[in-house]
Amino acid sequence: MPSPTAPRSDSLLQHPAFVAFWCARIASGFGFQMLSVAVGWQIYAITGRAFDLGLIGLVQFIPSVLLALPAGHVADQFERRRVVLLGQIAEWTAIVLLAALTMTHRIHETGILALVFVIGVAKAFESPSMQSLLPALVPTSMLPRAVAVSGSAFQMAMILGPAVGGLLYVAGPGVVYLTAAALYLVAATMMARLRYEHTPPKREPATLKTLFAGVHFIRARKDVLGVISLDLFAVLLGGATALLPIFAKDILHTGPWGLGLLRAAPAVGALLMSVWLARHDMQRRVGMIMFASVAGFGAATLVFAVSTALWLSLLALFALGAFDMVSMVIRGALVQLDTPDAMRGRVSAVNAIFINTSNQLGEFESGMLAAWLGAVNATLLGGIGTLVVVGLWMTMFPTLRRRQKLHVEPADVEPAADTL
């Protein structure tokens, strides 16, 4: 954590380490979103098979789950900045190879998937270290705002990255790859220049006990278990965005332009909310605010399900993204603040498994329900399920419901030694 003598300011801009972190996050985020567009278009242009588009997600999903626990262990055993930097360098190398193979006309589907797999492996190790690094860059009191600002970088990349990548693809996929590589180089440079005070981690050999320490820690902390599991089930049930093409074509009777607006609406809502949260602290009743936000997410899903007007659907998705950002900031800050620094990598890794699984399975669940019940009924069921989960979790985790502040003094938190 930052030194007690370090200057404390209400402005995140006066913390150079955080500014470098944010710049690296936004550069790599833009690069990755542009890369995703180019890879999808290029593979479909080569093979013409929709199945191969699914393989792109699969070769990224497998390492994100299988390597999550080892990556969390690495994040707690080594300097996290260096782990992030090495991950970004590996991703940059893979992207440069994609550009070189494309521009020399030696590219093929297997090569693309292999390099995307390499990127997935690098991201699996980069992610828990990146998440665990943030609390060391700002004072504890500013962590929620830092989480919100960091989230805004992701949302901006989600909104603008695919659009810029699509425009550049007109000049060829090699141009997109070179631009993405340049952005990753910027990210790696900023990360290499990042300086912050930290205590060298205590090295432990990798054993089943240390690898699963994050799981045991979460099970022992009711509030941490509550926020992580709430996210899992809320996302799993409320996956309306997976069905947007059906709603755009068959219910709202709009074209690709309308689908683009529908896809952008949640990210715009999340981005604007993150800007607001970056300027306002949540000091009271954070537990109820989180539950209310997840309930708002479910209610917005219900409105979207019954809407037959494009403007109302866009408004519902906008609200859905805004509510999700509020709960995400609270969940992210609470997990980081309730976790000792020596455990943050492993806890972040377990959290990443929950998030990746819920996103992937949520889309699958929505697709299956839509096939059986229709898109509207499937989305209605998802919204109702989210509200039910909120009610159950408020009953099952009363301390989380009554929680007033994000930061709890160490004396009020159970020691972690018995969980390792």
Side-chain angles (χ1 to χ4, degrees):
M1 298 297 292
S3 168
T5 60
R8 297 177 67 88
S9 169
D10 287 333
S11 174
L12 289 169
L13 295 177
Q14 295 192 20
H15 294 272
F18 175 77
V19 174
F21 174 89
W22 188 84
C23 290
R25 183 84 188 270
I26 198 168
S28 63
F30 265 85
F32 184 76
Q33 292 300 323
M34 293 169 61
L35 174 71
S36 300
V37 170
V39 165
W41 273 104
Q42 190 174 34
I43 279 193
Y44 193 66
I46 292 172
T47 70
R49 296 190 299 263
F51 173 78
D52 294 327
L53 296 177
L55 292 178
I56 299 172
L58 182 64
V59 297
Q60 295 176 83
F61 176 70
I62 290 174
S64 73
V65 173
L66 295 184
L67 297 176
L69 295 182
H73 178 80
V74 169
D76 288 335
Q77 301 302 304
F78 300 93
E79 186 191 349
R80 289 161 183 158
R81 180 189 65 87
R82 292 189 178 182
V83 177
V84 173
L85 179 59
L86 288 173
Q88 291 178 342
I89 291 173
E91 293 161 47
W92 174 81
T93 303
I95 297 169
V96 169
L97 286 173
L98 278 170
L101 291 172
T102 297
M103 300 183 84
T104 57
H105 306 289
R106 297 178 181 176
I107 199 73
H108 50 80
E109 179 197 8
T110 304
I112 296 174
L113 292 175
L115 289 170
V116 170
F117 179 79
V118 171
I119 293 171
V121 170
K123 278 203 165 295
F125 281 93
E126 176 193 351
S127 180
S129 292
M130 178 78 83
Q131 294 177 36
S132 306
L133 185 60
L134 185 55
L137 307 182
V138 297
T140 297
S141 61
M142 298 184 70
L143 182 60
R145 279 191 277 169
V147 172
V149 174
S150 181
S152 71
F154 175 77
Q155 297 301 331
M156 280 192 285
M158 284 284 291
I159 296 168
L160 299 178
V164 175
L167 289 174
L168 290 177
Y169 196 91
V170 175
V175 175
V176 183
Y177 294 142
L178 286 176
T179 306
L183 287 167
Y184 265 91
L185 187 59
V186 170
T189 301
M190 297 304 298
M191 193 57 61
R193 293 166 59 89
L194 189 152
R195 295 290 180 269
Y196 65 101
E197 295 184 20
H198 66 284
T199 303
K202 179 182 177 182
R203 299 287 176 85
E204 296 178 89
T207 65
L208 286 178
K209 184 178 180 180
T210 59
L211 288 176
F212 283 88
V215 177
H216 298 312
F217 180 89
I218 291 170
R219 288 179 58 190
R221 267 60 175 188
K222 293 284 286 185
D223 284 4
V224 176
L225 176 62
V227 295
I228 290 179
S229 57
L230 176 66
D231 179 55
L232 169 66
F233 287 101
V235 173
L236 187 63
L237 293 169
T241 52
L243 305 177
L244 288 182
I246 299 175
F247 278 90
K249 182 176 183 294
D250 299 334
I251 297 168
L252 301 174
H253 306 293
T254 185
W257 64 273
L259 176 60
L261 291 177
L262 292 170
R263 286 195 179 280
V268 173
L271 175 61
L272 294 181
M273 179 56 72
S274 70
V275 172
W276 189 87
L277 290 171
R279 300 177 62 87
H280 298 82
D281 290 323
M282 288 176 283
Q283 301 287 354
R284 297 179 62 251
R285 305 189 69 187
V286 295
M288 283 304 300
I289 291 174
M290 182 192 67
F291 281 119
S293 298
V294 179
F297 178 91
T301 301
L302 293 176
V303 172
F304 175 76
V306 300
S307 171
T308 57
L310 180 60
W311 69 269
L312 181 58
S313 297
L314 289 171
L315 187 62
L317 291 173
F318 177 91
L320 182 149
F323 282 125
D324 188 47
M325 176 56 69
V326 175
S327 63
M328 186 275 288
V329 168
I330 294 175
R331 293 193 311 265
L334 188 149
V335 170
Q336 296 285 6
L337 291 171
D338 275 15
T339 305
D341 185 64
M343 288 289 300
R344 282 187 177 128
R346 283 167 284 186
V347 170
S348 295
V350 176
N351 192 23
I353 294 176
F354 276 61
I355 292 172
N356 289 331
T357 301
S358 62
N359 286 334
Q360 299 291 334
L361 292 183
E363 292 186 4
F364 176 76
E365 174 265 343
S366 295
M368 291 299 98
L369 280 180
W372 295 335
L373 306 174
V376 172
N377 289 332
T379 306
L380 281 171
L381 191 60
I384 293 170
T386 300
L387 295 175
V388 170
V389 166
V390 170
L392 289 174
W393 260 239
M394 290 177 68
T395 303
M396 293 165 56
F397 298 94
T399 59
L400 183 57
R401 184 185 72 241
R402 294 192 296 265
R403 185 153 177 157
Q404 293 293 315
K405 297 181 179 180
L406 284 168
H407 180 57
V408 177
E409 293 301 322
D412 298 328
V413 181
E414 306 163 60
D418 60 336
T419 66
L420 298 179

